[in-house]
Amino acid sequence: MTVTSSYPRPHPPEAARVTSETAELLEVLWGRASTAPVSASQLRVLFILEHNEGINLRTLADALGSTPPSTSRLCDRLEAVGFVRRQTAASSRREVQLELSRHGRAFLADLRGRREAELQSVLERMPVAQRTALLTGLEAFCDAAAAQIHGGGAADDARTA
């Protein structure tokens, strides 16, 4: 796939189309790297818990855009394979906090290593200048996406730049 445009900088619709195609290709590459004993939904739970240690079930359900009963079932399965632990909150015995187990953290580290190896084999085929441009663009994309997700102005600034 080649990005061709008569513009010095691709307009947002063209960039969105190419980014979407890229995400689809990443899914294929990551699928090759995955020997995951978890579903895509369960993997999202692991990623959320990794960055939000000790959150409760309702907060996790909100982050997933799901219901607490569905989220609880996801966590049941992850707890059964040893990736998640539930603990009673110190502040309230009625509240349960969720956290990754050591096994869950090791699983994510291994998965990331396999994914990065798949990506590295693709990136090695690219000229250095294009890899550099890709890295610069991805860093800006991550900044803009994080700002949008976390509420804010930096994403608006990035869109107008």
Side-chain angles (χ1 to χ4, degrees):
M1 171 178 57
T2 304
V3 177
T4 56
S5 176
S6 59
Y7 308 108
R9 294 163 58 182
H11 286 221
E14 175 68 4
R17 183 190 63 74
V18 172
T19 302
S20 180
E21 288 179 17
T22 302
E24 291 168 4
L25 290 169
L26 283 171
E27 290 280 343
V28 171
L29 288 171
W30 285 352
R32 285 188 198 171
S34 182
T35 57
V38 297
S39 68
S41 296
Q42 291 167 334
L43 190 55
R44 284 182 58 211
V45 168
L46 296 177
F47 289 141
I48 291 169
L49 291 180
E50 181 181 41
H51 297 288
N52 300 280
E53 197 70 29
I55 64 173
N56 64 27
L57 194 62
R58 179 163 301 283
T59 304
L60 177 59
D62 289 346
L64 291 169
S66 185
T67 64
S70 295
T71 304
S72 182
R73 286 190 296 276
L74 285 171
C75 290
D76 288 344
R77 289 183 221 120
L78 290 168
E79 191 173 27
V81 294
F83 289 170
V84 171
R85 285 192 310 249
R86 297 178 193 210
Q87 294 187 336
T88 303
S91 59
S92 169
R93 290 179 39 187
R94 292 179 49 187
E95 183 178 344
V96 174
Q97 293 179 320
L98 302 164
E99 61 183 40
L100 283 181
S101 67
R102 185 177 309 157
H103 186 56
R105 288 185 189 286
F107 167 76
L108 287 179
D110 182 60
L111 177 64
R112 283 189 176 111
R114 290 192 314 271
R115 284 178 167 185
E116 288 172 14
E118 284 290 331
L119 291 173
Q120 184 174 338
S121 69
V122 172
L123 294 169
E124 287 170 349
R125 298 169 152 246
M126 295 174 62
V128 173
Q130 288 180 330
R131 278 197 313 263
T132 302
L134 176 65
L135 181 59
T136 301
L138 288 174
E139 287 171 341
F141 176 86
C142 288
D143 290 345
Q148 181 173 328
I149 289 168
H150 301 299
D156 294 332
D157 294 343
R159 283 191 288 265
T160 59

